[in-house]
Amino acid sequence: YLFSFYTGILITSIFYFVLYSAIKKNQPVINPRLVLPGMVSGWMWGIANVCFFLATGVLSQAISFPISNCGPPIFSIL
């Protein structure tokens, strides 16, 4: 499931970038300072998503789902 999920995200992102580049006539406007933070945040989201699926496999959904929904807001408040 995860391989097809992330492959779909990659293919869709490439498709939209190619479409954007074609509309801008091969001169896309990209801020180089935003590329690395965008990639890092995507990797963090992907790792967190994989950890959620692993936690759901080990624990039951009744335990892992509330933790995954209440944990991030508590962490961001701290």
Side-chain angles (χ1 to χ4, degrees):
Y1 170 77
L2 290 174
F3 178 75
S4 62
F5 182 69
Y6 291 122
T7 304
I9 291 172
L10 177 66
I11 291 171
T12 304
S13 298
I14 291 171
F15 171 75
Y16 282 124
F17 183 71
V18 168
L19 182 67
Y20 171 69
S21 295
I23 291 171
K24 296 293 273 182
K25 298 180 178 154
N26 204 20
Q27 294 180 351
V29 178
I30 299 172
N31 187 349
R33 294 178 55 201
L34 298 178
V35 173
L36 184 61
M39 290 178 68
V40 170
S41 66
W43 291 333
M44 287 171 40
W45 174 79
I47 291 169
N49 205 11
V50 169
C51 290
F52 171 68
F53 283 118
L54 291 175
T56 304
V58 174
L59 304 170
S60 67
Q61 286 184 346
I63 296 172
S64 64
F65 188 73
I67 292 172
S68 68
N69 283 334
C70 295
I74 292 170
F75 182 74
S76 65
I77 288 171
L78 296 175

Coordinates of all heavy atoms in Angstrom, one line a residue:
Y1 N 0.8 -1.2 0.0 CA 0.0 0.0 0.0 C 0.9 1.3 0.0 O 0.6 2.2 -0.7 CB -0.9 0.0 1.2 CG -1.7 1.2 1.4 CD1 -2.8 1.6 0.6 CD2 -1.3 2.1 2.4 CE1 -3.4 2.8 0.8 CE2 -1.9 3.3 2.6 CZ -3.0 3.6 1.8 OH -3.7 4.8 2.0
L2 N 1.9 1.3 0.8 CA 2.7 2.5 1.0 C 3.5 2.8 -0.3 O 3.6 4.0 -0.7 CB 3.6 2.4 2.2 CG 2.9 2.5 3.5 CD1 3.9 2.2 4.6 CD2 2.2 3.8 3.7
F3 N 4.0 1.8 -0.9 CA 4.8 2.0 -2.1 C 3.9 2.6 -3.2 O 4.3 3.6 -3.9 CB 5.4 0.7 -2.6 CG 6.2 0.8 -3.9 CD1 7.4 1.4 -3.9 CD2 5.7 0.4 -5.1 CE1 8.2 1.6 -5.1 CE2 6.4 0.6 -6.3 CZ 7.6 1.2 -6.3
S4 N 2.7 2.1 -3.4 CA 1.9 2.7 -4.5 C 1.4 4.1 -4.1 O 1.2 4.9 -5.0 CB 0.7 1.7 -4.7 OG -0.1 1.6 -3.6
F5 N 1.2 4.3 -2.8 CA 0.8 5.6 -2.4 C 1.8 6.7 -2.7 O 1.5 7.7 -3.3 CB 0.5 5.5 -0.9 CG 0.0 6.8 -0.2 CD1 -1.3 7.3 -0.5 CD2 0.8 7.5 0.7 CE1 -1.7 8.5 0.0 CE2 0.3 8.7 1.3 CZ -0.9 9.2 0.9
Y6 N 3.1 6.4 -2.3 CA 4.1 7.4 -2.5 C 4.5 7.5 -3.9 O 4.9 8.5 -4.4 CB 5.3 7.1 -1.6 CG 5.0 7.3 -0.1 CD1 5.1 6.3 0.8 CD2 4.6 8.6 0.3 CE1 4.8 6.5 2.1 CE2 4.3 8.8 1.6 CZ 4.4 7.8 2.5 OH 4.1 8.0 3.8
T7 N 4.4 6.4 -4.7 CA 4.7 6.4 -6.1 C 3.7 7.3 -6.8 O 4.0 8.1 -7.7 CB 4.7 5.0 -6.7 OG1 5.7 4.2 -6.0 CG2 5.1 5.0 -8.2
G8 N 2.4 7.2 -6.4 CA 1.4 8.0 -7.0 C 1.6 9.5 -6.7 O 1.4 10.4 -7.5
I9 N 2.1 9.8 -5.5 CA 2.4 11.2 -5.1 C 3.5 11.7 -6.0 O 3.5 12.8 -6.5 CB 2.7 11.3 -3.6 CG1 1.5 11.1 -2.8 CG2 3.3 12.7 -3.3 CD1 1.7 11.0 -1.3
L10 N 4.6 10.9 -6.2 CA 5.7 11.3 -7.0 C 5.3 11.5 -8.4 O 5.7 12.6 -9.0 CB 6.8 10.3 -6.9 CG 8.0 10.5 -7.8 CD1 8.8 11.8 -7.3 CD2 9.0 9.3 -7.7
I11 N 4.5 10.6 -9.0 CA 4.1 10.7 -10.4 C 3.2 12.0 -10.6 O 3.4 12.7 -11.6 CB 3.5 9.4 -10.9 CG1 4.5 8.3 -11.0 CG2 2.8 9.6 -12.2 CD1 3.9 7.0 -11.2
T12 N 2.3 12.2 -9.7 CA 1.4 13.3 -9.8 C 2.2 14.6 -9.7 O 1.9 15.6 -10.4 CB 0.3 13.2 -8.7 OG1 -0.4 12.0 -8.8 CG2 -0.7 14.4 -8.8
S13 N 3.2 14.7 -8.8 CA 4.0 15.9 -8.6 C 4.8 16.2 -9.9 O 4.9 17.3 -10.3 CB 4.9 15.8 -7.4 OG 4.2 15.6 -6.2
I14 N 5.3 15.2 -10.4 CA 6.1 15.3 -11.7 C 5.2 15.8 -12.8 O 5.5 16.7 -13.6 CB 6.8 14.0 -12.1 CG1 8.0 13.8 -11.1 CG2 7.4 14.1 -13.5 CD1 8.6 12.4 -11.2
F15 N 4.0 15.2 -12.9 CA 3.0 15.6 -13.9 C 2.7 17.1 -13.8 O 2.7 17.8 -14.8 CB 1.8 14.7 -13.8 CG 0.6 15.2 -14.7 CD1 0.7 15.0 -16.1 CD2 -0.4 15.9 -14.2 CE1 -0.3 15.5 -16.9 CE2 -1.5 16.3 -15.0 CZ -1.4 16.1 -16.3
Y16 N 2.3 17.5 -12.6 CA 2.0 18.9 -12.4 C 3.1 19.9 -12.6 O 2.9 21.0 -13.2 CB 1.4 19.2 -11.0 CG 0.0 18.7 -10.9 CD1 -0.4 17.8 -9.9 CD2 -1.0 19.2 -11.7 CE1 -1.7 17.4 -9.8 CE2 -2.3 18.8 -11.6 CZ -2.7 17.8 -10.7 OH -4.0 17.4 -10.6
F17 N 4.4 19.5 -12.3 CA 5.5 20.3 -12.6 C 5.7 20.4 -14.1 O 6.1 21.5 -14.6 CB 6.8 19.8 -11.9 CG 7.9 20.7 -12.1 CD1 8.0 21.9 -11.5 CD2 9.0 20.3 -13.0 CE1 9.1 22.7 -11.7 CE2 10.1 21.1 -13.2 CZ 10.1 22.3 -12.6
V18 N 5.6 19.3 -14.8 CA 5.8 19.3 -16.3 C 4.7 20.2 -16.9 O 4.9 21.0 -17.8 CB 5.8 17.9 -16.9 CG1 5.6 17.9 -18.4 CG2 7.0 17.2 -16.4
L19 N 3.4 20.1 -16.4 CA 2.3 20.9 -16.9 C 2.6 22.4 -16.6 O 2.4 23.2 -17.5 CB 1.0 20.4 -16.3 CG -0.2 21.2 -16.7 CD1 -0.5 20.8 -18.2 CD2 -1.4 20.7 -15.9
Y20 N 3.1 22.7 -15.5 CA 3.4 24.1 -15.1 C 4.5 24.6 -16.0 O 4.5 25.7 -16.4 CB 3.8 24.1 -13.6 CG 4.3 25.5 -13.2 CD1 3.5 26.6 -13.1 CD2 5.7 25.6 -12.8 CE1 4.0 27.8 -12.7 CE2 6.2 26.8 -12.4 CZ 5.4 27.9 -12.4 OH 5.9 29.1 -12.0
S21 N 5.5 23.8 -16.2 CA 6.6 24.2 -17.1 C 6.2 24.4 -18.5 O 6.7 25.4 -19.2 CB 7.8 23.1 -17.0 OG 8.3 23.0 -15.7
A22 N 5.3 23.6 -19.0 CA 4.8 23.8 -20.3 C 3.9 25.1 -20.4 O 4.0 25.8 -21.4 CB 3.9 22.6 -20.7
I23 N 3.1 25.4 -19.4 CA 2.3 26.6 -19.4 C 3.2 27.8 -19.4 O 3.0 28.8 -20.0 CB 1.3 26.6 -18.3 CG1 0.3 25.5 -18.5 CG2 0.7 28.0 -18.0 CD1 -0.7 25.3 -17.3
K24 N 4.3 27.8 -18.6 CA 5.3 28.9 -18.5 C 6.3 28.9 -19.6 O 7.3 29.6 -19.5 CB 6.0 28.8 -17.1 CG 5.1 29.0 -15.9 CD 4.5 30.4 -15.9 CE 5.4 31.3 -15.1 NZ 4.9 32.6 -15.0
K25 N 6.1 28.0 -20.6 CA 7.0 28.0 -21.8 C 8.5 27.7 -21.4 O 9.4 28.3 -21.8 CB 6.9 29.2 -22.6 CG 5.5 29.4 -23.1 CD 5.4 30.7 -23.9 CE 4.0 30.7 -24.5 NZ 3.5 32.0 -24.7
N26 N 8.6 26.6 -20.5 CA 9.9 26.1 -20.1 C 10.7 27.1 -19.3 O 11.9 27.1 -19.3 CB 10.7 25.5 -21.3 CG 11.7 24.5 -20.8 OD1 11.6 23.9 -19.7 ND2 12.7 24.3 -21.6
Q27 N 10.1 28.1 -18.6 CA 10.7 29.0 -17.7 C 10.0 29.1 -16.4 O 9.4 30.1 -16.1 CB 10.8 30.4 -18.4 CG 11.7 30.4 -19.6 CD 11.8 31.7 -20.2 OE1 11.1 32.7 -19.9 NE2 12.7 31.9 -21.2
P28 N 9.9 28.0 -15.7 CA 9.2 28.0 -14.4 C 9.8 28.9 -13.4 O 11.0 29.1 -13.4 CB 9.2 26.6 -13.9 CG 10.4 26.0 -14.5 CD 10.6 26.7 -15.9
V29 N 9.0 29.5 -12.5 CA 9.5 30.4 -11.5 C 9.6 29.5 -10.2 O 8.6 29.1 -9.7 CB 8.5 31.6 -11.2 CG1 9.0 32.4 -10.1 CG2 8.3 32.4 -12.5
I30 N 10.8 29.3 -9.8 CA 11.1 28.5 -8.6 C 12.0 29.2 -7.7 O 13.1 29.7 -8.1 CB 11.7 27.1 -9.0 CG1 10.8 26.3 -9.9 CG2 12.1 26.3 -7.8 CD1 11.4 25.1 -10.5
N31 N 11.6 29.4 -6.4 CA 12.5 30.0 -5.5 C 13.4 29.0 -4.9 O 13.0 28.0 -4.2 CB 11.7 30.7 -4.3 CG 12.5 31.5 -3.4 OD1 13.7 31.4 -3.4 ND2 11.9 32.2 -2.5
P32 N 14.7 29.0 -5.2 CA 15.6 28.0 -4.7 C 15.7 27.8 -3.2 O 16.0 26.8 -2.7 CB 17.0 28.4 -5.3 CG 16.8 29.6 -6.1 CD 15.4 30.0 -6.0
R33 N 15.4 28.9 -2.5 CA 15.5 28.8 -1.0 C 14.3 28.0 -0.4 O 14.4 27.6 0.7 CB 15.4 30.2 -0.4 CG 16.7 31.0 -0.8 CD 16.6 32.4 -0.2 NE 16.4 32.4 1.2 CZ 15.9 33.4 1.9 NH1 15.5 34.5 1.2 NH2 15.7 33.4 3.2
L34 N 13.3 27.7 -1.2 CA 12.2 27.0 -0.7 C 12.2 25.5 -1.1 O 11.4 24.7 -0.6 CB 10.9 27.6 -1.3 CG 10.6 29.0 -0.8 CD1 9.3 29.5 -1.5 CD2 10.5 29.1 0.7
V35 N 13.1 25.1 -2.0 CA 13.2 23.7 -2.4 C 13.5 22.7 -1.3 O 12.8 21.8 -1.1 CB 14.1 23.6 -3.6 CG1 14.3 22.1 -4.0 CG2 13.6 24.3 -4.8
L36 N 14.6 23.0 -0.6 CA 15.1 22.1 0.5 C 14.1 22.0 1.6 O 13.7 20.9 2.0 CB 16.5 22.5 1.0 CG 17.1 21.6 2.0 CD1 17.3 20.2 1.4 CD2 18.4 22.1 2.5
P37 N 13.6 23.2 2.1 CA 12.5 23.0 3.2 C 11.3 22.3 2.7 O 10.7 21.5 3.5 CB 12.2 24.5 3.6 CG 13.4 25.3 3.1 CD 13.9 24.6 2.0
G38 N 10.9 22.5 1.5 CA 9.7 21.7 1.0 C 10.0 20.2 0.9 O 9.1 19.4 1.3
M39 N 11.2 19.9 0.5 CA 11.5 18.4 0.4 C 11.6 17.8 1.8 O 11.1 16.7 2.0 CB 12.8 18.2 -0.4 CG 12.7 18.5 -1.9 SD 14.2 18.4 -2.7 CE 14.5 16.6 -2.6
V40 N 12.2 18.6 2.7 CA 12.4 18.0 4.1 C 11.0 17.9 4.8 O 10.8 16.9 5.4 CB 13.3 19.0 4.9 CG1 13.3 18.6 6.4 CG2 14.7 18.9 4.4
S41 N 10.1 18.8 4.6 CA 8.8 18.7 5.2 C 8.1 17.5 4.5 O 7.3 16.8 5.2 CB 8.0 20.0 5.0 OG 7.7 20.3 3.7
G42 N 8.2 17.3 3.3 CA 7.6 16.1 2.6 C 8.2 14.8 3.2 O 7.4 13.9 3.4
W43 N 9.5 14.8 3.4 CA 10.1 13.5 3.9 C 9.6 13.3 5.4 O 9.3 12.2 5.8 CB 11.6 13.6 3.9 CG 12.2 13.6 2.6 CD1 11.7 13.0 1.4 CD2 13.4 14.2 2.2 NE1 12.6 13.2 0.4 CE2 13.6 13.9 0.8 CE3 14.4 14.9 2.9 CZ2 14.7 14.4 0.1 CZ3 15.5 15.4 2.1 CH2 15.7 15.1 0.8
M44 N 9.5 14.4 6.1 CA 9.0 14.3 7.5 C 7.6 13.7 7.5 O 7.2 12.9 8.3 CB 9.1 15.6 8.2 CG 10.5 16.0 8.6 SD 10.7 17.7 9.2 CE 9.3 17.9 10.3
W45 N 6.7 14.3 6.6 CA 5.3 13.8 6.5 C 5.3 12.3 6.1 O 4.5 11.6 6.7 CB 4.6 14.7 5.5 CG 3.2 14.1 5.3 CD1 2.1 14.3 6.0 CD2 2.8 13.3 4.2 NE1 1.0 13.7 5.5 CE2 1.4 13.1 4.3 CE3 3.4 12.8 3.0 CZ2 0.7 12.3 3.4 CZ3 2.7 12.1 2.1 CH2 1.4 11.8 2.3
G46 N 6.1 11.9 5.2 CA 6.2 10.6 4.7 C 6.6 9.6 5.8 O 6.0 8.5 6.0
I47 N 7.6 10.0 6.6 CA 8.1 9.1 7.7 C 7.0 9.0 8.7 O 6.8 8.0 9.3 CB 9.4 9.7 8.2 CG1 10.6 9.5 7.2 CG2 9.8 9.0 9.5 CD1 11.8 10.3 7.5
A48 N 6.4 10.1 9.0 CA 5.3 10.1 10.0 C 4.2 9.2 9.6 O 3.6 8.5 10.4 CB 4.8 11.5 10.3
N49 N 3.8 9.3 8.3 CA 2.8 8.5 7.8 C 3.1 7.0 7.9 O 2.3 6.1 8.2 CB 2.5 8.9 6.3 CG 1.1 8.5 5.9 OD1 0.2 8.2 6.7 ND2 0.8 8.7 4.6
V50 N 4.4 6.6 7.5 CA 4.8 5.2 7.7 C 4.8 4.8 9.1 O 4.3 3.7 9.4 CB 6.2 5.1 7.1 CG1 6.8 3.7 7.4 CG2 6.2 5.2 5.6
C51 N 5.2 5.6 10.0 CA 5.2 5.3 11.5 C 3.7 5.1 11.9 O 3.5 4.2 12.8 CB 5.9 6.4 12.3 SG 7.7 6.4 12.0
F52 N 2.8 5.9 11.4 CA 1.4 5.7 11.8 C 0.9 4.3 11.4 O 0.2 3.6 12.1 CB 0.5 6.8 11.2 CG -0.9 6.6 11.3 CD1 -1.5 6.7 12.5 CD2 -1.7 6.3 10.2 CE1 -2.9 6.4 12.7 CE2 -3.1 6.1 10.3 CZ -3.7 6.2 11.6
F53 N 1.2 3.9 10.1 CA 0.8 2.6 9.7 C 1.5 1.5 10.5 O 0.8 0.5 10.8 CB 1.1 2.4 8.2 CG 0.1 3.2 7.3 CD1 0.5 4.2 6.5 CD2 -1.2 2.9 7.3 CE1 -0.3 4.9 5.7 CE2 -2.1 3.5 6.5 CZ -1.7 4.5 5.7
L54 N 2.7 1.7 10.8 CA 3.4 0.6 11.6 C 2.8 0.6 13.0 O 2.6 -0.5 13.6 CB 4.9 1.0 11.7 CG 5.7 0.8 10.5 CD1 7.1 1.3 10.7 CD2 5.7 -0.6 10.0
A55 N 2.4 1.7 13.6 CA 1.8 1.7 14.9 C 0.4 1.1 14.9 O 0.0 0.4 15.8 CB 1.7 3.2 15.4
T56 N -0.3 1.3 13.8 CA -1.6 0.7 13.7 C -1.5 -0.8 13.5 O -2.4 -1.5 14.0 CB -2.4 1.3 12.4 OG1 -2.4 2.7 12.6 CG2 -3.8 0.8 12.3
G57 N -0.4 -1.3 12.9 CA -0.2 -2.7 12.8 C 0.1 -3.4 14.1 O -0.3 -4.5 14.4
V58 N 0.9 -2.7 14.9 CA 1.3 -3.2 16.2 C 0.1 -3.0 17.3 O -0.2 -4.0 18.0 CB 2.6 -2.6 16.7 CG1 2.9 -3.0 18.1 CG2 3.7 -2.9 15.8
L59 N -0.4 -1.8 17.3 CA -1.5 -1.6 18.2 C -2.8 -1.7 17.5 O -2.8 -2.0 16.3 CB -1.4 -0.1 18.8 CG -0.1 0.2 19.4 CD1 0.0 1.7 19.7 CD2 0.1 -0.5 20.7
S60 N -3.9 -1.5 18.1 CA -5.2 -1.6 17.4 C -5.5 -0.2 17.0 O -4.9 0.8 17.4 CB -6.3 -2.1 18.4 OG -6.5 -1.2 19.4
Q61 N -6.5 0.0 16.1 CA -6.9 1.3 15.6 C -7.5 2.1 16.7 O -7.4 3.4 16.7 CB -7.9 1.2 14.5 CG -7.2 0.7 13.2 CD -8.3 0.7 12.0 OE1 -9.4 0.8 12.2 NE2 -7.7 0.5 10.8
A62 N -8.1 1.5 17.7 CA -8.7 2.2 18.8 C -7.6 2.9 19.6 O -7.9 3.9 20.3 CB -9.5 1.3 19.7
I63 N -6.4 2.5 19.6 CA -5.3 3.1 20.4 C -4.5 4.0 19.5 O -4.2 5.1 19.9 CB -4.4 2.0 21.0 CG1 -5.2 1.2 22.0 CG2 -3.2 2.6 21.7 CD1 -4.5 0.0 22.6
S64 N -4.1 3.6 18.3 CA -3.2 4.4 17.5 C -3.8 5.6 16.9 O -3.2 6.6 16.7 CB -2.6 3.5 16.4 OG -3.6 3.1 15.5
F65 N -5.1 5.5 16.5 CA -5.8 6.7 15.9 C -5.9 7.9 16.8 O -5.5 9.0 16.4 CB -7.1 6.3 15.3 CG -7.8 7.4 14.5 CD1 -7.3 7.6 13.2 CD2 -8.8 8.1 15.0 CE1 -7.9 8.6 12.5 CE2 -9.4 9.1 14.2 CZ -8.9 9.4 13.0
P66 N -6.3 7.7 18.1 CA -6.4 8.9 18.9 C -5.0 9.5 19.2 O -4.8 10.7 19.3 CB -7.0 8.4 20.2 CG -7.8 7.2 19.8 CD -7.0 6.6 18.7
I67 N -4.0 8.6 19.3 CA -2.6 9.1 19.6 C -2.1 9.9 18.4 O -1.5 11.0 18.6 CB -1.7 8.0 19.9 CG1 -2.0 7.3 21.2 CG2 -0.2 8.4 19.9 CD1 -1.2 6.0 21.5
S68 N -2.4 9.5 17.2 CA -1.9 10.2 16.0 C -2.7 11.5 15.8 O -2.2 12.4 15.1 CB -2.1 9.3 14.8 OG -3.4 9.1 14.5
N69 N -3.9 11.6 16.3 CA -4.7 12.8 16.2 C -4.4 13.8 17.3 O -4.6 15.0 17.1 CB -6.2 12.5 16.1 CG -6.6 12.0 14.7 OD1 -5.9 12.3 13.7 ND2 -7.6 11.3 14.6
C70 N -4.1 13.3 18.5 CA -3.9 14.2 19.6 C -2.4 14.5 19.9 O -2.1 15.6 20.5 CB -4.5 13.6 20.9 SG -6.3 13.4 20.9
G71 N -1.6 13.7 19.4 CA -0.1 13.9 19.6 C 0.5 15.1 19.0 O 1.1 15.9 19.6
P72 N 0.2 15.3 17.7 CA 0.8 16.4 17.0 C 0.4 17.8 17.6 O 1.3 18.7 17.7 CB 0.4 16.3 15.5 CG 0.3 14.8 15.4 CD -0.3 14.3 16.7
P73 N -0.9 18.0 17.9 CA -1.2 19.3 18.4 C -0.6 19.6 19.8 O -0.1 20.7 20.1 CB -2.7 19.3 18.6 CG -3.2 18.3 17.6 CD -2.1 17.3 17.5
I74 N -0.5 18.5 20.6 CA 0.2 18.6 21.9 C 1.7 19.0 21.7 O 2.2 19.8 22.4 CB 0.0 17.4 22.8 CG1 -1.5 17.2 23.2 CG2 0.9 17.4 24.0 CD1 -1.8 15.9 23.8
F75 N 2.3 18.3 20.8 CA 3.7 18.5 20.5 C 3.9 19.9 20.0 O 4.9 20.6 20.4 CB 4.2 17.5 19.5 CG 5.6 17.6 19.1 CD1 6.6 17.2 20.0 CD2 6.1 18.1 17.9 CE1 8.0 17.3 19.7 CE2 7.4 18.3 17.6 CZ 8.3 17.9 18.5
S76 N 3.0 20.4 19.1 CA 3.2 21.8 18.6 C 3.0 22.9 19.6 O 3.5 23.9 19.5 CB 2.3 22.0 17.4 OG 1.0 22.0 17.7
I77 N 2.1 22.6 20.6 CA 1.9 23.5 21.7 C 3.1 23.7 22.5 O 3.5 24.8 22.9 CB 0.6 23.1 22.5 CG1 -0.7 23.3 21.7 CG2 0.6 23.9 23.8 CD1 -1.9 22.8 22.4
L78 N 3.8 22.5 22.8 CA 5.0 22.6 23.6 C 6.1 23.3 22.9 O 6.9 24.0 23.4 CB 5.4 21.2 24.0 CG 4.4 20.4 24.8 CD1 4.9 19.0 25.0 CD2 4.2 21.1 26.2

